[in-house]
Amino acid sequence: MKHLIIVFFLVSLGLGTYAQSSKKKVVPNLVTFDQKRLHFGFLIGVNTMDFTIHHSGASTPENGNNPLYASVESLTPGINLGIVSSLRLNQNFNLRVLPGISFGQRNLSYIDENKVEKEDDLQIKSTFIEMPILIKYSSSRIKNYKPYLVAGINPRYDLAKSKQDGLALNKMDLYYEIGFGIDSYLNYFKLTTEFKISIGMFDVLNHEGTGDMVDLPYTQAIDKLTSNIFQLTFYFE
């Protein structure tokens, strides 16, 4: 949280310095845009999905009494699509509801106590229906730019099969989200660039497993599994 606030103020300071030092007169675009009570738009973005893994260190007959340890092998890019609904609360605050869908994948690799890695990674694919509800705090407009902070919650429902390849996940999770961005006022629309972090609140691992005994060691190796998502999003309003 502190790091995001620092970045926010550095961006604001940089834009302010630019506005003061620029000799060329800039004509403001969309001067009445922020006075509208309600406006709409759409979003498109990219994401990377990650896990926070709490290992159990379980030594069981299913894993040959040789505990397994999981890690996210690589971050795979995904896509976000959605609709923007923004309600102006006052000069600095907006309530934003952003229903949409996101696609992503996480690759889990396993290694045992002897540092022998399992041959195949588990590919955990997700297709989320999501409903972010966020509060956006904006600074004062600096010519055609306005930096902001955003925070809120996002319930996500995974449409992908609950029994993945080797690991079963719960379909429902609730995330808290925080991010920052810059509104750019162009001639005919407002373009927003935003970076946001989503942190899952609940354990998404289905501890009953997939029902296949071969997959049981993968589930036994994990005590708790939470989801994290990093997003770079472009809004057109």
Side-chain angles (χ1 to χ4, degrees):
M1 177 64 177
K2 291 182 180 179
H3 294 91
L4 288 173
I5 294 174
I6 291 172
V7 171
F8 174 74
F9 283 112
L10 286 175
V11 171
S12 300
L13 180 62
L15 289 174
T17 302
Y18 165 78
Q20 292 176 4
S21 62
S22 178
K23 294 181 180 180
K24 183 179 178 180
K25 185 176 179 180
V26 176
V27 178
N29 297 322
L30 306 176
V31 292
T32 63
F33 186 93
D34 292 331
Q35 298 174 12
K36 297 178 181 179
R37 181 70 172 171
L38 184 66
H39 58 266
F40 303 95
F42 67 93
L43 66 90
I44 183 169
V46 294
N47 69 67
T48 55
M49 298 182 181
D50 197 4
F51 284 128
T52 297
I53 304 170
H54 300 266
H55 299 103
S56 67
S59 179
T60 65
E62 288 79 16
N63 62 28
N65 297 315
N66 189 0
L68 292 176
Y69 300 91
S71 64
V72 178
E73 182 66 21
S74 60
L75 296 179
T76 304
I79 299 175
N80 297 15
L81 300 169
I83 299 171
V84 178
S85 301
S86 185
L87 174 66
R88 182 178 185 270
L89 302 178
N90 59 33
Q91 182 178 352
N92 298 106
F93 288 92
N94 286 71
L95 174 65
R96 292 168 69 80
V97 181
L98 311 168
I101 187 169
S102 58
F103 307 88
Q105 179 176 314
R106 287 158 283 201
N107 300 320
L108 278 181
S109 64
Y110 282 80
I111 191 171
D112 64 22
E113 258 190 352
N114 300 318
K115 302 188 183 302
V116 177
E117 187 174 348
K118 290 287 186 179
E119 292 184 1
D120 298 322
D121 294 342
L122 301 186
Q123 296 183 350
I124 312 299
K125 297 180 181 179
S126 292
T127 302
F128 289 116
I129 295 294
E130 54 188 37
M131 182 65 73
I133 302 173
L134 307 170
I135 294 294
K136 176 181 178 181
Y137 171 74
S138 302
S139 72
S140 298
R141 179 170 170 171
I142 304 169
K143 294 189 177 179
N144 285 320
Y145 301 96
K146 182 187 287 187
Y148 68 87
L149 294 172
V150 66
I153 60 172
N154 186 356
R156 285 186 169 97
Y157 184 84
D158 195 348
L159 295 177
K161 294 180 180 180
S162 60
K163 294 182 178 181
Q164 305 282 357
D165 294 334
L167 209 64
L169 301 184
N170 299 321
K171 292 186 177 183
M172 191 71 192
D173 196 10
L174 182 64
Y175 295 72
Y176 64 87
E177 300 191 328
I178 185 168
F180 64 92
I182 298 178
D183 292 329
S184 302
Y185 296 82
L186 306 181
N187 287 329
Y188 300 106
F189 64 93
K190 184 177 74 172
L191 172 65
T192 299
T193 305
E194 177 185 279
F195 176 75
K196 187 169 59 179
I197 301 172
S198 301
I199 302 175
M201 298 184 186
F202 305 126
D203 183 5
V204 295
L205 178 65
N206 183 338
H207 291 271
E208 295 181 358
T210 64
D212 191 334
M213 291 297 294
V214 175
D215 295 333
L216 194 54
Y218 299 125
T219 301
Q220 293 174 337
I222 300 173
D223 182 58
K224 183 180 180 181
L225 191 67
T226 56
S227 180
N228 309 309
I229 302 175
F230 307 93
Q231 301 172 80
L232 176 63
T233 308
F234 301 94
Y235 299 88
F236 301 83
E237 301 176 50

